[in-house]
Amino acid sequence: MELSILLSQLPTVGPRTAKLLTKLGLNTVGELLFYYPFRYDDFSRISKINDLQVGTASTVKARVDLIKNRRSPRKRMVLTEAILSDDSGSIKAIWFRLPFLIKIIKPGDELFLSGRVEKELLNFQFVNPAYEKVKSIPLHTARLVPIYPTTARLTQKQIRYLVKLSQTALPKVGDWLPSPIILRQKLLDLKTALRQIHFPEKEPILQRARFRLKFDELFLIQLEALKIKEALKKEKAPLIGFKENDTKKFVASLPFQLTQAQRKAAWEILKDLEKTNPMNRLLEGDVGSGKTVAAAIAMFNTALNKFQSALMAPTEILAQQHFETLKKLFAKSKIRIGLLTSSAARLTGKKEIKKKELLEKNAEGKIDILIGTHALIQKNVRFKNLGLTIIDEQHRFGVEQRKKLKEMNLSSNDGRPHLLSMTATPIPRSLALTVYGDLDLSVLDEMPPGRKKVFTKIVPPEKRTKAYQFIRTEIEKGRQVFVICPLIEESDKLGVKAATTEYEKLNEEIFPDIKIGILHGRMPTKEKEQVMKGFLKKEYKILVSTAVVEVGVDVPNATIMMIEGSERFGLAQLHQFRGRVGRGEYQSYCLLFTENGGETVSQRLNALVKSHDGFALAEQDLKFRGPGEVYGSKQSGFFPNLRIARLTDYDLIKITRQEAGSLLKDDLELTKYPVLKDKVANFTEKIHLE
Ligand code: ADP
Ligand code: MG
């Protein structure tokens, strides 16, 4: 069988099943081979019926004495009952809603039954056990049984059957790892690993299969990261000299003193700009840690060197806020700042400007800093000598958008601009290094002094009314309130239902006299911006929003962040929400509403009450949940989507980085390893580590 054979061509796969498989991203036999189980049920030990114990997962090998259907008296459901025996005794098995079983299983058949043994009155019985006729290599019983991630209506049995079938194509899988690495790391060969990961013979070889496949995944990431770094070393970028005197004057003119962390980050960035190959640096810092100023210092030096900067923000309001901020920061200098969004065009020193004129001026190099939304990466935007591009809240952009920005060329032959990405997602350094390999990282791990801590409180259900009263008094004082609601249903991906339900409750029952705005993922961007503007202008006192809509805007007048179902969110995410308040002069509050406050829930949420350090909270979160969950799936492409490895497999990451490094040192283009080269190219299309 070929790896490219479509699953829909396999026996038992009709259009309906094919569609379900596609939903899982599975179209070909080859793809299925690389679709790994996420756990295994250990049914490998075969017990005698007499030795069975209640509550334990067990397997027996027994003969069917009797099998028949009957209707359950109360629920009018079909039950299939069987009596089976081996040489030690006999036991009853019972299945619900599988009436066709009596056609498959006949008295006299020898079966494996795997499942949990339960006690009914005085007798033991199997309830809904997995069953399979006795054969030398069982798939569903009497072994380490693989359990796959699946979707409704596609059963484990179906998947196992198809995987087994697909394994006939295994001989066609070429091993892409260079053999010296396989030998050195004592890895299983790929075919064996792929056979064992699905249907392992024993635990030890399963471990080795897992190790091999994790190795592959992390090795590819490290290759990719190192290749980017090598490629960047070869590319040219303009040298942007450090204008020490002017920079010192600029820093002295700021209304505050830079934090130590800001100094260090700015220094690291300025050093990079002085190199003639492009910077690729990630600046991460908690909400409010002052990333903008660090970026401003870089843009300032870029302008003094007669190069242009582009600053891209995820929303129109955020772009506008940056425009206002930088206008103030650079008020005493001659730096010209432009703003370009889909609905606005502005230029410092000019009352009005048409978009066309702004674009012309920009192409002529008469604008030093152009700030904008996605509008910046449209084709009609040209720069004369772009020296620095900055992406704010970079995780909010898709892979394609980030790529476009990165590829914005200088029109001259100076190569490409330096790139600075900024994010408020608190990624612990260990994890960031994992993902970004050797890419450069600056961290603002210190808050500007004098920040008022946001008072954080867990609100149990019985205190809800009291909390609403408190919210009302804050609103009466003129303050505003954010309300975040969790997604209630899997199907409600855009949060329409979650937000609407909450909105209606507040609007009709709790605060009927107060003006409330709503934001959810189904609303067009324009409309969302409209609502945000309304909130900023205090037209709405309360803003209800889902977590899918990030409200990355400064609203100094908002003092309460109320979070519904807070136990459903990760700590890092809750911390991000909390960062939306406490930006003005007023004491601010974060109210964590819970639906079911068990001990572990309040323990976890208590970490938030006590700690105001986003990095520490993220670390803590990572211990409990995977990075995918901690940082959300929106960041796919930002965090590579791992199938088997974990971003916290730090040791293996170290090993793969070393191996990737020494391989590239000998053979950067991987000419000696065409299969691996192909694999990397394929992988590169899917993720972008920048
Ligand atoms: P973020 O890292 O979330 O982008 P900003 O750059 O928007 O944070 O900064 C948040 C606020 O902190 C701004 O109002 C900014 O003027 C202020 N700020 C930045 N650095 C300092 C500092 N060193 N001391 C005092 N305030 C600062
Ligand atoms: Mg910011």
Side-chain angles (χ1 to χ4, degrees), residues 298-449:
M299 292 189 277
F300 182 71
N301 270 274
T302 306
L304 294 184
N305 281 269
K306 307 273 182 287
F307 283 100
Q308 293 172 286
S309 301
L311 168 58
M312 184 162 83
T315 65
E316 196 160 334
I317 304 175
L318 209 54
Q320 262 169 25
Q321 270 189 358
H322 279 321
F323 180 74
E324 299 298 338
T325 305
L326 293 182
K327 206 165 86 176
K328 268 185 231 146
L329 285 180
F330 294 131
K332 289 195 203 109
S333 72
K334 289 198 190 105
I335 291 173
R336 293 150 302 179
I337 310 169
L339 174 71
L340 179 72
T341 67
S342 54
S343 69
R346 291 171 68 188
L347 182 62
T348 46
K350 272 202 131 190
K351 265 227 154 66
E352 263 177 54
I353 189 163
K354 288 246 161 56
K355 202 177 267 186
K356 189 159 165 273
E357 199 188 340
L358 185 76
L359 288 173
E360 278 167 14
K361 282 197 182 303
N362 195 58
E364 289 163 11
K366 288 184 181 148
I367 293 173
D368 299 299
I369 298 173
L370 188 62
I371 300 168
T373 51
H374 314 95
L376 286 189
I377 44 176
Q378 306 310 315
K379 272 201 211 78
N380 57 354
V381 182
R382 296 221 165 67
F383 289 83
K384 177 153 182 272
N385 50 5
L386 183 60
L388 170 65
T389 51
I390 300 180
I391 313 185
D392 193 18
E393 309 281 351
Q394 71 117 7
H395 60 279
R396 302 273 313 270
F397 291 96
V399 169
E400 276 312 304
Q401 291 165 326
R402 299 206 306 260
K403 194 169 150 206
K404 261 196 194 146
L405 188 76
K406 213 174 125 188
E407 283 167 1
M408 275 206 304
N409 269 314
L410 292 158
S411 52
S412 58
N413 286 333
D414 285 331
R416 66 148 96 167
H418 297 280
L419 174 69
L420 177 67
S421 314
M422 306 200 287
T423 180
T425 312
I427 310 162
R429 186 179 278 272
S430 49
L431 181 57
L433 283 178
T434 312
V435 185
Y436 294 99
D438 281 345
L439 300 183
D440 298 307
L441 182 70
S442 294
V443 184
L444 297 184
D445 50 6
E446 177 188 3
M447 283 303 227

Side-chain angles (χ1 to χ4, degrees), residues 60 171 235 242 271 336 501 536 551 598 674 678 689:
V60 297
E235 285 204 56
F242 174 35
K271 283 281 128 198
R336 293 150 302 179
T501 313
L536 208 52
V551 195
D678 257 17
L689 302 165

Side-chain angles (χ1 to χ4, degrees), residues 98-130:
L98 298 175
F100 59 86
L101 273 187
I102 55 165
K103 298 221 171 76
I104 307 172
I105 303 173
K106 301 281 182 198
D109 284 349
E110 264 223 298
L111 293 189
F112 284 126
L113 285 191
S114 289
R116 217 162 279 282
V117 177
E118 296 180 13
K119 195 168 181 179
E120 184 220 36
L121 299 177
L122 291 175
N123 297 316
F124 286 1
Q125 63 178 23
F126 278 109
V127 179
N128 282 327

Side-chain angles (χ1 to χ4, degrees), residues 256-259 262 285-293 322 325 392-393 424 444 448-449 451 554 583:
F256 44 72
Q257 277 209 321
L258 291 184
T259 63
Q262 280 170 319
D286 218 338
V287 178
S289 59
K291 294 183 289 293
T292 319
V293 180
H322 279 321
T325 305
D392 193 18
E393 309 281 351
L444 297 184
R451 285 281 157 78
D554 234 353
R583 299 184 155 214

